Amino acid sequence: SIPLGDVNNTAPAGTVETLTITYRVYVSNDVVFAAVGEQLNNAVDYRWDIDGDGTNDGPVDGTTEASAPPVEVITPELQVTKNLLVTPVDAGDTVTYEITIEHTPDSQAAALDATFSDLVPSEISSVTLVSAVDGTGTAITGFTVTGNSVENPDFDLVLGDQIVLTISGVVNTTASASTTIVNTAQISWD
């Protein structure tokens, strides 16, 4: 409901005039209220006081309704992949990961307020962020390393773009011989 107050028409009788109201709305980030593929519609009911009694719901007051074309709910869908660029063999060896954050083929929109976290296992020390670049190879900011935690608590990823992180570390002596060290990264987004 948007109360407009008094709008006085001072144009000569018979002149067609318009009143345009522009506003922006957002789809709730909740699958219960706005499932992907759902068709949402926005209808307007505009009322005005003609008889001057202070209300706009009388039998002689003006009213009109209109409905917008349906809007389909679309959503982003991201994926994260990780590859080994340098594979260690023994303690003291360097390990280098390449992590790619990108849209899946089914993604339909930019991902907003995304978060990234990668807790590198304790068997790897001296964790360093070698680079963080976008799909054109341009360096980007916001990704940090604290101890063994690589993260970015807030970034956006436009549709069709990607982020490639290169992370390195050193396999330390706590890594048992002939074991596999699993490293998993996580992303979430709106």
Side-chain angles (χ1 to χ4, degrees):
S1 177
I2 304 171
L4 301 176
D6 294 338
V7 178
N8 295 314
N9 184 351
T10 58
T15 302
V16 177
E17 293 190 292
T18 61
L19 176 64
T20 302
I21 301 170
T22 303
Y23 56 96
R24 180 179 293 176
V25 295
Y26 294 92
V27 176
S28 172
N29 190 28
D30 187 335
V31 72
V32 172
F33 297 108
V36 175
E38 184 173 345
Q39 299 286 321
L40 302 179
N41 193 304
N42 182 15
V44 63
D45 177 14
Y46 183 66
R47 297 176 178 271
W48 61 95
D49 183 12
I50 290 177
D51 58 13
D53 67 357
T55 67
N56 62 7
D57 57 1
V60 298
D61 289 330
T63 183
T64 188
E65 296 178 358
S67 183
V71 174
E72 181 179 353
V73 176
I74 60 174
T75 186
E77 185 176 312
L78 299 182
Q79 63 186 7
V80 60
T81 55
K82 185 179 288 191
N83 294 306
L84 278 172
L85 296 180
V86 176
T87 305
V89 176
D90 292 314
D93 288 352
T94 297
V95 58
T96 304
Y97 297 103
E98 181 181 74
I99 302 168
T100 303
I101 304 165
E102 61 189 344
H103 289 266
T104 69
D106 294 332
S107 189
Q108 301 170 302
L112 306 175
D113 302 324
T115 63
F116 170 85
S117 65
D118 181 3
L119 183 57
V120 179
S122 61
E123 293 90 350
I124 299 173
S125 55
S126 303
V127 176
T128 303
L129 177 63
V130 177
S131 66
V133 297
D134 64 14
T136 65
T138 303
I140 56 174
T141 61
F143 289 87
T144 61
V145 176
T146 304
N148 275 34
S149 181
V150 182
E151 60 186 10
N152 186 333
D154 185 18
F155 65 97
D156 298 338
L157 188 60
V158 299
L159 183 61
D161 201 0
Q162 66 177 0
I163 296 171
V164 179
L165 307 173
T166 304
I167 299 169
S168 71
V170 176
V171 177
N172 61 43
T173 57
T174 63
S176 301
S178 302
T179 60
T180 301
I181 300 170
V182 179
N183 182 6
T184 305
Q186 298 178 346
I187 54 173
S188 63
W189 63 92
D190 282 348

